[in-house]
């Protein structure tokens, strides 16, 4: 268009505008009462004279007075979110857009488009188009329905401002109120003010409130910069915002092949063109033409424009922090509104409309200082590991294929994007992944770069995901898009390969071509692929004040901007070992076990006789251990044994008490098994938010408080309409919670698996968690101030390099920053707790032998559950060092030594377990006697002065062994059953019974025991 033509068009536009403004504005000479009366005369014909007056009185009795000075302020109805200190956090904007624009800053074409479509006599009437109203009433009488199509711009404004809560209601009452407010507005404001208010309040689809929001939403420009085509399109939306919006946002999986994609950059959603806007767009242009708002030439040019090429969806705006927290606030407010006002708000859409348009003031629980610290840590990529995945020769990332726990092969989980997209942006299908059949049809082979699936809308052709790396070697994954081929040109063969018809190939030869290497190239015109990469691995974090349940900070992902993103903090992942404290050890402590209870960490077998589970440590099994140590070092066998003894249903019960909502209790893949409850191999998993709050139950003295993101909501007048009252649930006693907390402190502060989470000068309790394939890594824990949970994992479902170590380090960085200015505190110890030195191999009271063996710990107990008996697992025995067995009288003095040994309550036999021995088996009390030294190999008898501790020497010199045997000064041995062996007795039966178990002695021997004057001696 030449400059002169452009100038002429602007002059014509200004001329038309001036003509409009110079039309005589008929001043209202009729009193307010007469205006309403005229309207009522018309309505009488519809409702009957007898009830009209009563209806009017009833309808107007509760109307709000109109204050013209407040109307501009009422136009800005965005709700706002405050942080916990009352600072403005975010002004809620539907899809990120809501801006008021002045009348003079609105394009003339846009004003004229609305006048031509909605109210062409706007500048002439006094609030009503009476001729139009009368005609609509007559039509309504004929059809026995309410009058339709009668609203002027003034009436619509009245409805938007004063009757928003009932504007969808079809009733006489609403019409009367609308009439009242329309007359009042006309009396209070100039026409330009009314028009300005209307254009700033009208809903225009896709969440856009007002023309400025619509201009930004659909064209990424301001309302003053719109042209004729853009103005007509926006004005056409008014009649039905849902149907006539020029684009629709859909989940990627719902996008049909033949839809025109406008924006595919989001990781979850795609914006597609809405064909239904075209007819209404044409109507608007026609109305503008017949009302002389545009010329015939302008009309012809505009109606032939391809709207798809003009649309440019606006990018969603962000606040200073990521939107994960505020998105959660909005969702929780919507749910609360629906629950609080079930009669008034019946759908989620109505609740959303109230949130976005009613000027609500939402007081959130967010601590902006903590959130900012969290954001800063997540913005630094050096705080996260790099991806170290297995790749094939082409650089594609592989994922192991496992069967029965063994890797049997690999599949491509992410294609290197260079292998997918050519320099000309064509999609590359390697040779070998396609062929042509005898009919000339293209056959695309399944399960390669392309996948095919049947849906209600036909066959969906999807492209697999891909990846790129940046200059820092950070990896970004990209969602695979789709290939759009019309339904009539594609089908599936018997093997589910895709057949593209030869007719289509001939009609569009530029769509499918081949390169010099024989690869198939698919034109960029018919495929889409995600343009927004997601950094890997991903992560989320949650911080809660467990005393109140208030959510103080939340991150739902790394390097993710914008609103309504996938929030990993509220979506479940496999918890791994982080489930053990809440599903196993807490229920155990609450059902009779103590921190000192003993589990033997030895090979365990499942119902099929397979050895399961395996521990993470290299030496396999550690033997007798307290459940404190089992938790401290995240052993796997002890919690499985506890799970079997507790019962899986008990674990589920406690998880529910702690607010876990994702346990699957029935069906072919349920969580009613030890693998899920003891090791975290759940069907769906647990979200970081719920898992952190569950740990908070223990920090909060055994009381779970459901986490919440806002404390109260007021309307625009300051009246409280929602108030969050903490939902509390008793889980365990304060005493059990304290001991469980102290057990988890061992894992952090005593060099356990969570030691990297330890904060200097601050008490920390917590637990790591890693899934068996290292796809998910956790650390969840708490201090005397806050509970925090960190998850790191791969959306790619490939292994992390270092498992839970990474999450513990990240947790430490976060919580060190959060606690920087807080004084050190200890966890509060409740009444009813006792502390005793116990033996860590028996769980009983420590003895001198316990101390010598180094197996003593001062352990906490709930008063009444402490042990009463002394340790009986440690014994001292005389061992022949050469054979490693119990010494006999034939072992020479040089090979004999006293050793403190372990006598298991339940004997362990390595031969029954493929020769596997736990690490403490080296200290196991032998059951056999030395077979190296015999009467023929060694003439030296045992030194009777070198016998086990516990041997009692009587005043007459007789020695009483711990087993009851007595050795007289002349060497005669009297056994407990009365059998006697004299020094001159060389029979084999006598020579082999010095330290034998009395129960194995022949019971037929006579009893010749002496009471040694019945004296009692201290052993």
């Amino acid at each position: 268009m030449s400059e002169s033509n452009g100038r002429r068009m602007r002059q014509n536009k200004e001329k038309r505008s001036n003509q409009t403004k110079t039309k005589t504005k008929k001043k209202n000479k009729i009193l307010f009462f007469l205006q309403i009366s005229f309207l009522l005369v018309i309505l009488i014909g519809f409702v009957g004279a007898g009830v009209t007056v009563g209806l009017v009185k009833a309808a107007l009795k509760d109307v709000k007075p109109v204050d013209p000075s407040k109307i501009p302020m009422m136009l800005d109805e965005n709700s706002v979110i405050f942080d916990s200190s009352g600072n403005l956090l975010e002004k809620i904007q539907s899809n990120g857009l809501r801006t008021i624009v002045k009348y003079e800053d609105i394009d003339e074409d846009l004003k004229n488009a609305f006048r031509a479509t909605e109210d062409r006599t706007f500048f002439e009437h006094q609030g009503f188009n009476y001729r139009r109203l009368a005609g609509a009433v007559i039509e309504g009488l004929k059809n026995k329905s309410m009058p339709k199509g009668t609203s002027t711009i003034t009436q619509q404004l009245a409805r938007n401002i004063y009757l928003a809560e009932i504007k969808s209601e079809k009733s006489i009452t609403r019409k009367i109120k609308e009439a009242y407010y329309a007359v009042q507005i006309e009396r209070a404001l100039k026409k330009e003010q009314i028009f300005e208010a209307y254009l700033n309040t009208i809903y225009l689809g896709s969440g856009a409130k007002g023309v400025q929001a619509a201009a930004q939403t659909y064209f990424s420009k301001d309302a003053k910069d719109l042209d004729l085509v853009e103005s007509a399109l926006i004005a056409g939306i008014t009649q039905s915002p849902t149907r006539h919006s020029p684009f629709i946002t859909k989940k990627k999986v719902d996008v049909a092949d033949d839809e025109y994609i406008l924006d595919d950059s989001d990781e979850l959603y795609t914006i597609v063109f809405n064909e239904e806007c075209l007819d209404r767009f044409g109507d608007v242009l026609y109305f503008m033409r017949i009302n002389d708002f545009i010329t015939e030439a302008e009309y012809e040019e505009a109606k032939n424009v391809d709207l798809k090429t003009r649309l440019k969806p606006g990018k969603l705006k962000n606040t200073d922090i990521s939107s994960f927290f505020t998105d959660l606030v909005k969702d929780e407010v919507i749910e609360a509104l629906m629950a609080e006002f079930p009669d008034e708000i019946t759908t989620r859409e109505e609740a959303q409309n109230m949130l976005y348009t009613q000027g609500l003031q939402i007081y959130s629980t967010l601590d902006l200082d903590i959130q900012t610290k969290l954001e800063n840590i997540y913005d630094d990529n050096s705080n996260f590991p790099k991806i170290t995945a297995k790749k094939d020769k082409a650089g594609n990332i592989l994922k192991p294929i496992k069967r029965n726990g063994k890797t049997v092969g690999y599949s491509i989980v992410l294609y290197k994007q260079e292998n997918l997209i050519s320099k000309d942006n064509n999609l590359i299908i390697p040779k070998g992944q396609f062929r042509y059949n005898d009919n000339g049809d293209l056959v695309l082979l399944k399960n390669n770069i392309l996948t095919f699936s049947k849906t209600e809308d036909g066959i969906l052709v999807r492209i697999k995901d891909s990846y790129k790396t940046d200059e820092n070697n950070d990896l970004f994954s990209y969602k695979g898009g789709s290939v759009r081929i019309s339904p009539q040109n594609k089908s599936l063969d018997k093997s589910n390969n895709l057949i593209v018809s030869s007719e289509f190939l001939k009609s569009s030869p530029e769509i499918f071509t081949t390169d010099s290497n024989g690869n198939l190239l698919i034109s960029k015109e018919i495929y889409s692929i995600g343009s927004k990469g997601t950094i890997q691995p991903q992560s989320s974090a949650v911080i809660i004040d467990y005393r109140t349940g208030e959510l103080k900070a939340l991150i739902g992902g790394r390097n993710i901007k914008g609103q309504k993103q996938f929030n990993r903090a509220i979506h479940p992942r496999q918890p791994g070992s982080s489930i053990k404290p809440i599903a196993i050890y807490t229920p155990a402590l609450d059902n009779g076990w103590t921190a000192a209870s003993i589990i033997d960490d030895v090979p365990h077998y499942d119902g099929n006789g397979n050895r399961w589970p395996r521990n993470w440590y290299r030496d396999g099994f550690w033997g007798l251990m307290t459940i404190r140590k089992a938790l401290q070092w995240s052993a796997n066998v002890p919690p499985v044994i506890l799970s079997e003894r507790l019962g899986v249903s008990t674990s589920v019960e406690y998880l529910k008490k702690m607010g876990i909502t994702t346990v699957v209790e029935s069906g072919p893949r349920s969580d009613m098994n030890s693998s899920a409850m003891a090791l975290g191999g759940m069907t769906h998993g647990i979200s970081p938010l719920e898992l952190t709050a569950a740990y908070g139950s223990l920090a909060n003295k055994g009381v779970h408080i459901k986490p919440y993101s806002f404390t109260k909501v007021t309307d625009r007048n300051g009246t409280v309409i929602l108030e969050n009252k903490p939902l509390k649930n008793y889980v365990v006693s304060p005493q059990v919670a304290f001991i469980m907390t102290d057990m988890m402190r061992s894992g952090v502060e005593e060099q356990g698996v969570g030691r990297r989470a330890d904060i200097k000068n601050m008490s920390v309790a917590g637990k790591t968690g890693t899934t068996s394939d290292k796809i998910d890594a956790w650390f969840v824990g708490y201090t005397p101030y806050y509970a925090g949970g960190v998850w790191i994992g791969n959306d790619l479902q490939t292994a992390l390099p270092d498992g839970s170590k990474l999450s513990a380090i990240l947790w430490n960085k976060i919580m060190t920053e959060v606690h920087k200015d807080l004084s050190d505190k200890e966890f509060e110890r409740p009444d009813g707790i006792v502390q005793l030195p116990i033996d860590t191999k028996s769980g009983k009271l420590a003895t001198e032998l316990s101390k010598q063996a180094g197996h003593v710990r001062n352990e906490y107990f709930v008063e009444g559950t402490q042990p009463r008996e002394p340790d009986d697992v440690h014994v001292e025995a005389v061992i022949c060092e050469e054979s490693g067995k119990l010494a006999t009288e034939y072992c020479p003095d040089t090979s004999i030594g006293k050793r403190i040994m372990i006598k298991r309550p339940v004997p362990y036999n390595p031969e029954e377990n493929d020769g596997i021995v736990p690490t403490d088996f080296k200290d196991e009390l032998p059951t056999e006697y030395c077979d190296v030294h015999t009467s023929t190999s060694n003439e030296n008898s045992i030194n009777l002065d070198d016998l086990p501790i516990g041997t009692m020497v009587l005043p007459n010199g007789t020695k009483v062994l711990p087993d009851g045997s007595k050795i007289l000064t002349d060497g005669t041995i009297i056994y407990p059953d009365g059998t006697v062996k004299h020094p001159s007795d060389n029979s084999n039966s006598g020579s082999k019974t010095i330290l034998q178990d009395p129960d194995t002695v022949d019971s037929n021997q006579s009893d010749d025991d002496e009471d040694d004057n019945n004296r009692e001696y201290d052993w």
Side-chain angles (χ1 to χ4, degrees), residues 740-755:
M740 192 66 235
T741 295
D742 196 69
M743 285 171 61
M744 285 194 284
R745 286 186 70 175
S746 295
V748 177
E749 299 178 7
E750 296 181 21
Q751 293 302 299
V753 292
R755 59 190 178 276

Side-chain angles (χ1 to χ4, degrees), residues 692 695-696 744 764-767 779-783 786-790 811 815:
T692 304
Y695 274 64
M744 285 194 284
V764 175
K767 181 68 182 72
F779 187 86
V780 188
Y782 48 89
T783 70
Y786 299 107
V790 167
W811 193 92
M815 298 303 266

Side-chain angles (χ1 to χ4, degrees), residues 691-707:
L691 189 55
T692 304
Y695 274 64
S697 306
L698 302 171
N700 193 38
K701 302 178 182 179
V703 177
H704 175 264
I705 303 179
K706 183 179 179 180

Side-chain angles (χ1 to χ4, degrees), residues 615-622:
N615 292 314
W616 63 267
Y617 29 82
R618 292 179 180 177
D619 34 10
F621 304 92
W622 288 355

Side-chain angles (χ1 to χ4, degrees), residues 114 159 271 362 365 488 538 560 598 720 738 761 837 881 961 1004:
F114 274 97
R159 191 159 61 234
I271 299 176
I362 303 166
T365 61
Q488 65 271 23
Q538 269 296 319
I560 296 175
I598 301 298
V720 176
F738 171 79
N761 300 324
E881 300 295 347
L961 275 67
N1004 292 324

Side-chain angles (χ1 to χ4, degrees), residues 749-811:
E749 299 178 7
E750 296 181 21
Q751 293 302 299
V753 292
R755 59 190 178 276
R756 293 177 182 84
D758 192 19
I759 302 175
K760 186 178 181 180
N761 300 324
M762 183 62 62
S763 298
V764 175
K767 181 68 182 72
T768 56
T770 308
T771 53
S772 59
D773 46 17
K774 290 188 177 181
I775 291 175
D776 301 279
W778 298 76
F779 187 86
V780 188
Y782 48 89
T783 70
Y785 293 95
Y786 299 107
V790 167
W791 165 84
I792 300 176
N794 276 327
D795 294 341
L796 317 181
Q797 301 296 295
T798 59
L800 294 166
D802 290 307
S804 60
K805 167 185 173 181
L806 304 169
S807 290
I809 293 172
L810 180 59
W811 193 92

